[in-house]
Amino acid sequence: MQSPSKEILQSWHDDANNWKWGIFYFNPKDKRIFIDKPNPDFGTTLNFANPKSYLVVAMALLFFGFILYMITKKAS
C-alpha cells in the first residue's frame, strides 16, 4: 500500500469535516496516529479514527495512574 502524498495529507488536515468540535481529529483514511493541530503552536493530537490511538491513551492513563499510586503509597 502506497502512502498518501503530502498534498493529500494536507487536504485531509485542512478539511473541517475531519475535525470534531475543532479539536478532535477523526479521519479513517489517514493511518497516522499523531496529527498536528490546526494551529501548530498548540502541539499535536491523536487521530481517533485509528484504533492504535486508543492504545496510546490507555498507556498514558496507566502511566499516570501508576505515578499517582506510587506517590500515595510513599506518603502512607
Side-chain angles (χ1 to χ4, degrees):
M1 186 167 123
Q2 188 176 1
S3 297
S5 67
K6 288 184 179 185
E7 292 81 17
I8 292 173
L9 292 174
Q10 189 63 40
S11 69
W12 286 344
H13 183 272
D14 295 340
D15 185 359
N17 293 324
N18 292 331
W19 292 93
K20 307 303 178 198
W21 298 316
I23 56 173
F24 298 109
Y25 185 75
F26 191 91
N27 183 359
K29 296 177 190 173
D30 194 349
K31 300 302 178 198
R32 297 177 295 171
I33 297 174
F34 296 101
I35 308 294
D36 289 334
K37 289 193 176 184
N39 183 346
D41 294 337
F42 294 141
T44 61
T45 189
L46 296 171
N47 179 4
F48 288 97
N50 187 332
K52 293 178 185 175
S53 66
Y54 294 102
L55 181 62
V56 171
V57 170
M59 289 173 55
L61 290 174
L62 285 172
F63 173 75
F64 289 116
F66 175 73
I67 297 298
L68 287 173
Y69 170 75
M70 293 305 288
I71 289 171
T72 57
K73 182 180 175 186
K74 185 175 182 179
S76 47

